[in-house]
Amino acid sequence: TYMEEFDYLFSKIGLNMHIMKPQTMLQLINSVDKICKHKVFANGNIIQDNDLVITVAASLLVAPFLTSESTMEDAVRTAQILQLETFFGAPSAIISRCAIIISPRERSMEELLEDRTFLDLIGHNEYQGIRWFRGESFQECMYLVYLSNALKSTKVMTEKRELEIRKEIDMWLRRCADANYRMDNLLKG
């Protein structure tokens, strides 16, 4: 009955809880701990500016309201409905990035650069016919994409795989720097 009361409350604000076993949450937490021990992810707070913990915590609070068919947009909307920016005392842009972590499958940067929600997360806008993005937001979200993909991957994180990820991250960081905040330049690489 305790959970039924929560279900009723959440349904009033337009959310439905889904059955999520505690093991699922523990698995995510353990995966984050395991993956962040690898050099390529160990210094995540350098790129994330200490927001990684908040983003992961927000993903744990949003996850019970999503299904395997949920989109990144659904995750962002859920975080907003739950008013997690108030709960964590963090900007909505940081909280919304939880959508990257709890995306149900691995996704490439090229694929995400065509996703409207991801574009919003990197500050995509258009001014005088030129498409722009926020460089720091792109770098932080790009890092989360690789972290998220590593969490979801069935591949064992070997030194070779870690080196491949590092090279991809470095490539995107260079592309970001060379793009001068212009979306078209970023996409050309």
Side-chain angles (χ1 to χ4, degrees), residues 15-20 59 61-79 98-99 102-104:
L15 294 175
N16 294 314
M17 286 188 76
H18 299 281
I19 296 172
M20 178 171 276
S59 69
L61 294 174
V62 170
F65 300 99
L66 302 178
T67 66
S68 59
E69 291 83 35
S70 296
T71 64
M72 287 179 57
E73 183 177 6
D74 295 332
V76 170
R77 185 179 54 77
T78 301
C98 73
I102 56 178
S103 177

Side-chain angles (χ1 to χ4, degrees), residues 34-167:
K34 182 179 174 184
I35 291 297
C36 286
K37 289 179 181 172
H38 292 275
K39 291 178 189 172
V40 70
F41 297 117
N43 295 322
N45 285 331
I46 292 170
I47 292 176
Q48 288 294 156
D49 193 26
N50 297 315
D51 294 328
L52 181 58
V53 172
I54 293 171
T55 305
V56 171
S59 69
L60 292 171
L61 294 174
V62 170
F65 300 99
L66 302 178
T67 66
S68 59
E69 291 83 35
S70 296
T71 64
M72 287 179 57
E73 183 177 6
D74 295 332
V76 170
R77 185 179 54 77
T78 301
Q80 291 169 343
I81 290 171
L82 292 172
Q83 298 181 358
L84 294 182
E85 69 277 2
T86 303
F87 179 76
F88 286 106
S92 177
I94 302 302
I95 302 298
S96 295
R97 292 176 185 162
C98 73
I100 297 169
I101 292 176
I102 56 178
S103 177
R105 62 182 175 85
E106 293 182 56
R107 297 180 71 184
S108 70
M109 285 299 299
E110 290 82 5
E111 179 184 358
L112 286 166
L113 286 168
E114 295 181 14
D115 184 289
R116 189 183 80 224
T117 302
F118 185 78
L119 291 174
D120 288 344
L121 292 174
I122 65 168
H124 174 263
N125 65 79
E126 188 168 330
Y127 179 71
Q128 295 182 346
I130 299 172
R131 297 180 331 143
W132 302 91
F133 68 95
R134 286 194 311 266
E136 288 179 358
S137 295
F138 172 80
Q139 291 173 13
E140 293 168 358
C141 289
M142 175 270 310
Y143 174 83
L144 282 176
V145 167
Y146 283 97
L147 175 66
S148 175
N149 286 346
L151 294 173
K152 294 175 187 84
S153 180
T154 57
K155 298 176 187 173
V156 174
M157 183 66 81
T158 61
E159 285 184 35
K160 181 181 177 187
R161 180 66 187 134
E162 188 174 346
L163 182 60
E164 290 169 359
I165 292 170
R166 183 180 305 280
K167 285 180 180 179

